[in-house]
Amino acid sequence: MPTHDEDRGDRDPRDVPPRRTQAERRARAETALIAAAARLIAEHGSTGVTLARVGEEAGFSRGLATHYFGSKAALLARLQEAALAEAMAAAAPERSGAGALEELCGFARGCLEGVRNPTDLGRAFVVLGAEALAGASELTVAVAELDARTRQWTAEVVGQGQRDGELGAGVDPGAFALAFVGLLKGLVVQAAAAPRAFDVGVAIAESERWIRLALTAG
């Protein structure tokens, strides 16, 4: 009969992956739940998607999504945040160490490049935005809050560019942020409505031209 040492064999303890902490396990589960919600919403819309169904789609119990997010509205808000983070990450190599102009042009490119090969998160983001416009109550507040945060980030980038001397004082950061978010959302919705007729290269070029003109005005 093998001894306790023989049961362990010659396995090097360094080859055994460390056990994940509770926080790490939760983060992984939340990521899986958001990915599952994105798949379902991208294909079916959000109306028939329940927290229980999201849990099952992710391979967990029916109650885990409720336990982690509390409500469907909270899950949808987190999903939209994840989609925005994905767009920003896509543009990160171009934005790294850039000034305000390149920071904002890079973000616009990241959002619009996602139209070429949309991920589940990207497609779900567009679906949720369209549903919010149609007056889906559980989405309207979450979409409005995310838009507000994106405008705030944009205004902060412009303000930093002004403090650094890259941009002139004639630009109103808040007004630019309002138009900037509206431009990108409008283009993404157009792409979703008629993808074959939407030229991503033209959209990127014109967006960058507008950004540069708007930020160097005055």
Side-chain angles (χ1 to χ4, degrees), residues 25-149:
R25 291 195 299 272
R26 181 185 179 100
R28 286 174 65 88
E30 288 185 355
T31 298
L33 289 166
I34 290 170
R39 289 194 299 273
L40 292 170
I41 292 168
E43 185 173 353
H44 306 292
S46 71
T47 305
V49 174
T50 64
L51 291 175
R53 189 176 178 189
V54 169
E56 290 179 333
E57 174 72 14
F60 299 122
S61 69
R62 291 171 58 87
L64 190 64
T66 300
H67 175 68
Y68 279 174
F69 298 102
S71 68
K72 181 177 173 180
L75 171 60
L76 296 180
R78 286 286 300 277
L79 188 154
Q80 290 181 103
E81 291 174 355
L84 182 62
E86 181 181 75
M88 297 185 78
E94 299 179 41
R95 292 169 46 234
S96 180
L101 276 171
E102 290 308 316
E103 178 87 358
L104 293 166
C105 285
F107 178 68
R109 283 193 296 271
C111 290
L112 294 170
E113 284 288 355
V115 172
R116 295 187 195 272
N117 297 295
T119 63
D120 288 334
L121 268 176
R123 291 192 296 139
F125 183 83
V126 172
V127 169
L128 292 175
E131 291 181 355
L133 289 174
S137 59
E138 63 187 351
L139 295 169
T140 303
V141 172
V143 170
E145 288 178 350
L146 184 62
D147 285 349
R149 286 199 295 274

